[in-house]
Amino acid sequence: MTSVVAVDLGKTGCRAMLWNTADSSRAVSSVAGAPGLAAPDGVAAARTAVCAAVGPLLRESGGAGPDAVLVGAAGAASAPAAARSLVAALLEDLPVREAAVTSDAVTAHAGALGGRAGVVLAIGTGSVAVGIGADGTYARVDGWGPLLGDDGGGARIGTAGLRAALRAHDGRRPPGMRETGAEGDRRQEAGA
């Protein structure tokens, strides 16, 4: 019998699934996520989240430990040393013989396309696109985190909206933007 725990570790949520090949049974556990492996203390936060998600599944399985834990983690592509550190930590914490950590974008591609060629756009708190060509070539676009990228991700869009609202509240606006409301209409009529 082989059993595996697959973990999707995102910035807002962490979801683990225990899968048993003998009877194709599945059990799922969800907890809060972690800020990403590249973040300060990212490995410690990821370790805590993964163990919190996997723990209930291990208790539910009656103590029979899975053979492996496989983690798709936000920030793993940008911080490969942190991904290796998380592997070492999980081998200490969990009753498994093997552990692997890769980018959550890679596991999203594998889950969506099952190893076939194609492109997956993963947008949540962050954003990243992963493509694998028919010849096996790999390409990744963005996924650089909220400070450097993640264009189109929820955190980036939300932050941009809050910044715009605060600029408007302060009476500032980017050059070239038209004022709205009665005051703006009067200035437009006067040629201002």
Side-chain angles (χ1 to χ4, degrees), residues 85-183:
S85 294
L86 181 57
V87 166
L90 294 176
L91 287 171
E92 288 177 16
D93 295 343
L94 301 173
V96 295
R97 292 190 307 269
E98 297 180 83
V101 175
T102 189
S103 168
D104 57 346
V106 170
T107 57
H109 190 284
L113 299 177
R116 295 184 311 275
V119 176
V120 169
L121 178 60
I123 299 194
T125 304
S127 66
V128 62
V130 169
I132 297 179
D135 62 354
T137 54
Y138 170 85
R140 182 187 112 192
V141 176
D142 210 343
W144 296 113
L147 296 177
L148 301 175
D150 284 351
D151 292 341
R156 184 74 172 243
I157 291 170
T159 300
L162 289 171
R163 285 183 177 144
L166 292 173
R167 280 193 305 273
H169 176 75
D170 291 346
R172 302 177 293 138
R173 65 184 191 283
M177 284 195 71
R178 181 176 176 259
E179 285 185 290
T180 59
E183 183 63 6

Side-chain angles (χ1 to χ4, degrees), residues 55-93:
L57 298 178
L58 297 179
R59 287 188 293 280
E60 187 176 305
S61 71
D67 298 298
V69 61
L70 312 169
V71 180
S78 303
R84 288 188 295 276
S85 294
L86 181 57
V87 166
L90 294 176
L91 287 171
E92 288 177 16
D93 295 343

Side-chain angles (χ1 to χ4, degrees), residues 1 6-7 20 27 32 40 43 50 67 102 118 122 127 131 141 161 175 179 189:
M1 173 177 86
V7 180
N20 183 332
V43 173
V50 170
D67 298 298
T102 189
S127 66
V141 176
E179 285 185 290
E189 290 170 10

